[in-house]
């Protein structure tokens, strides 16, 4: 029963990873909730036109009425995202389709891509270590699509999962684009910028399971950053 035991233990680890993820996300979305109303009020008072102010007033009402729904849907999307593990979670229109996407949708998609890229850069070390541990444990399938960072590839628990899950839940409310942007900003500030403890906990769980416990990419990444810096400096010197 070696293979059977391994599968059972891998399922157990998977369940624990999911539990850590959901506990973090549920706590984080409470912070988002608390910060949202004051930000919408601020946007209302600063709105450049009556029309825009009206949009924020209406949206504030919708968000108040449906915030439990938004929270539930977001968490549901996160769970589905982990369980389905698509090869690519960026739900990105193929290049040929980009022309067919309307301007608002494209800008929406771009806002998300920028948010995800910023987060992937911010948590690069923890994400890279997590991806290597997930690969080594075989608990979750990780693709080899290179994302940002040192060939970090696709991380099924990375910021893309969190950002796209929220975006999918938010788009169900069909809010005006200006309101959408304001809501996403609050989400980035309260949830996306506070993901570090989550990635530390997920790595911690796999370390306790004996998956690459000695792996520490700090030195390696510092060296890599330094060589990139030096390369840029020498390019600048040549251009000068």
């Amino acid at each position: 029963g070696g293979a059977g035991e391994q599968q059972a233990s891998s399922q157990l680890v998977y369940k624990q990873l999911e539990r850590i993820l959901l506990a973090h996300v549920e706590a984080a979305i409470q912070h988002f909730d608390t910060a949202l109303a004051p930000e919408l009020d601020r946007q209302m008072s600063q709105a450049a036109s009556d029309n825009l102010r009206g949009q924020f007033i209406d949206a504030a009402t919708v968000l108040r009425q449906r915030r439990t729904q938004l929270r539930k849907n977001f968490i549901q999307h996160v769970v589905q995202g982990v369980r389905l593990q698509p090869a690519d979670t960026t739900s990105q229109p193929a290049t040929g389709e980009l022309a067919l996407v309307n301007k608002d949708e494209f800008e929406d998609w771009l806002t998300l891509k920028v948010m995800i890229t910023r987060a992937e850069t911010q948590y690069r070390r923890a994400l890279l270590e997590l991806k290597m541990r997930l690969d080594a444990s075989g608990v979750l399938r990780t693709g080899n699509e290179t994302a940002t960072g040192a060939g970090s590839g696709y991380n099924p628990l990375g910021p893309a999962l969190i950002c796209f899950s929220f975006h999918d839940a938010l788009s169900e409310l069909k809010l005006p684009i200006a309101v959408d942007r304001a809501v996403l900003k609050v989400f980035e500030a309260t949830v996306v910028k506070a993901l570090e403890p989550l990635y530390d906990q997920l790595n911690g769980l796999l370390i306790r399971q004996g998956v690459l416990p000695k792996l520490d990419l700090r030195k390696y990444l510092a060296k890599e950053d330094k060589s990139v810096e030096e390369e840029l400096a020498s390019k600048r010197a040549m251009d000068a």
Side-chain angles (χ1 to χ4, degrees), residues 126-134 155 199 202-203 206:
L127 285 170
L128 201 47
E129 288 181 9
L130 180 60
K131 180 182 184 314
M132 290 168 86
R133 288 194 173 102
L134 288 172
N155 191 327
Y199 295 123
L202 293 170
N203 271 309
L206 291 167

Side-chain angles (χ1 to χ4, degrees), residues 77-95:
H77 283 301
V78 170
V79 172
Q80 284 170 341
V82 179
R83 291 190 182 155
L84 295 173
Q85 287 174 57
D88 179 27
T89 51
T90 48
S91 65
Q92 163 187 353
T95 328

Side-chain angles (χ1 to χ4, degrees), residues 1-16 139:
E5 276 165 31
Q6 201 177 351
Q7 198 177 1
S9 113
S10 141
Q11 269 171 341
L12 190 67
V13 174
Y14 170 82
K15 280 268 179 295
Q16 288 173 301
V139 173

Side-chain angles (χ1 to χ4, degrees), residues 53-66:
R53 189 172 301 115
Q55 285 185 9
F56 275 101
I57 292 169
D58 294 346
T61 309
V62 170
L63 282 157
R64 241 196 328 274
Q65 289 167 344
R66 299 190 55 189

Side-chain angles (χ1 to χ4, degrees), residues 16-32:
Q16 288 173 301
L17 286 169
E18 198 179 71
R19 204 175 300 137
I20 290 173
L21 174 69
L22 291 182
H24 183 92
V25 163
E26 278 167 7
I29 204 73
Q30 303 282 358
H31 294 302
F32 160 80

Side-chain angles (χ1 to χ4, degrees), residues 51-134:
N51 177 20
L52 193 58
R53 189 172 301 115
Q55 285 185 9
F56 275 101
I57 292 169
D58 294 346
T61 309
V62 170
L63 282 157
R64 241 196 328 274
Q65 289 167 344
R66 299 190 55 189
R67 73 188 219 205
T68 312
Q69 197 55 45
L70 176 65
R71 208 165 49 215
K72 268 194 190 138
N73 288 355
F74 166 52
I75 288 162
Q76 206 178 343
H77 283 301
V78 170
V79 172
Q80 284 170 341
V82 179
R83 291 190 182 155
L84 295 173
Q85 287 174 57
D88 179 27
T89 51
T90 48
S91 65
Q92 163 187 353
T95 328
E97 293 167 32
L98 280 182
L100 305 176
V101 174
N102 73 40
K103 186 169 163 289
D104 285 349
E105 274 175 23
F106 177 70
E107 285 187 5
D108 227 21
W109 171 78
L110 205 55
T111 304
L112 275 179
K113 284 296 276 187
V114 169
M115 191 189 294
I116 291 164
T117 305
R118 265 203 293 260
E120 285 174 342
T121 307
Q122 187 182 346
Y123 310 123
R124 185 168 67 145
R125 179 186 61 82
L127 285 170
L128 201 47
E129 288 181 9
L130 180 60
K131 180 182 184 314
M132 290 168 86
R133 288 194 173 102
L134 288 172

